Amino acid sequence: MIGNKYLRSLFEYPDEDTSLNQLLELLKSKDTEFIGSLREPVDLDQCDDKELEYLTKVTALMDYYLQIYDIEVPSWFRDERLMFDKPYYHSKRISDFEKVRMQYISPAPFRTRNVFFDLNGIERV
């Protein structure tokens, strides 16, 4: 179980796109309570496969935005369990060319986890 109340609440949204948008709002507004809560490591041993998949996606986004805002990135974000073996693309409706392009233009937090977001597209969802 995801121990962080904010991340657990986002995980429990019935729609992942809405959850990601809410996460982006928390990050963009630099919500101090939310960002402060991330300093407490999530016990990944207590998470099931679905939770680890979700955390892999959101830690890529959180890592990226925290670096942009020059906020220290918690070390637990970089746990090897929060990386996909095969590339994950958000959205699923992109061409093979776009997939290759995203691999080359994506920031390091995404490439490291094998998670690729079109940030313009995700903000419009």
Side-chain angles (χ1 to χ4, degrees), residues 31-50:
D31 186 291
T32 54
E33 285 185 33
F34 171 68
I35 292 171
S37 77
L38 299 175
R39 290 188 187 104
E40 183 67 32
V42 169
D43 185 353
L44 300 177
D45 292 327
Q46 299 296 315
C47 296
D48 64 28
D49 290 342
K50 287 273 189 206

Side-chain angles (χ1 to χ4, degrees), residues 25-77:
E25 287 301 317
L26 289 168
L27 292 167
K28 287 179 180 180
S29 68
K30 299 180 188 171
D31 186 291
T32 54
E33 285 185 33
F34 171 68
I35 292 171
S37 77
L38 299 175
R39 290 188 187 104
E40 183 67 32
V42 169
D43 185 353
L44 300 177
D45 292 327
Q46 299 296 315
C47 296
D48 64 28
D49 290 342
K50 287 273 189 206
E51 292 167 328
L52 287 172
E53 179 180 327
Y54 179 77
L55 287 172
T56 301
K57 296 171 193 176
V58 299
T59 55
L61 288 167
M62 293 186 300
D63 191 333
Y64 173 71
Y65 277 96
L66 292 178
Q67 286 185 51
I68 286 177
Y69 298 139
D70 200 27
I71 299 171
E72 183 179 348
V73 177
S75 60
W76 70 268
F77 281 20

Side-chain angles (χ1 to χ4, degrees), residues 8-16 18-20 22 54:
R8 182 176 55 245
S9 174
L10 291 168
F11 170 74
E12 291 172 350
Y13 268 63
D15 178 62
E16 186 173 272
T18 304
S19 170
L20 295 175
Q22 291 298 313
Y54 179 77

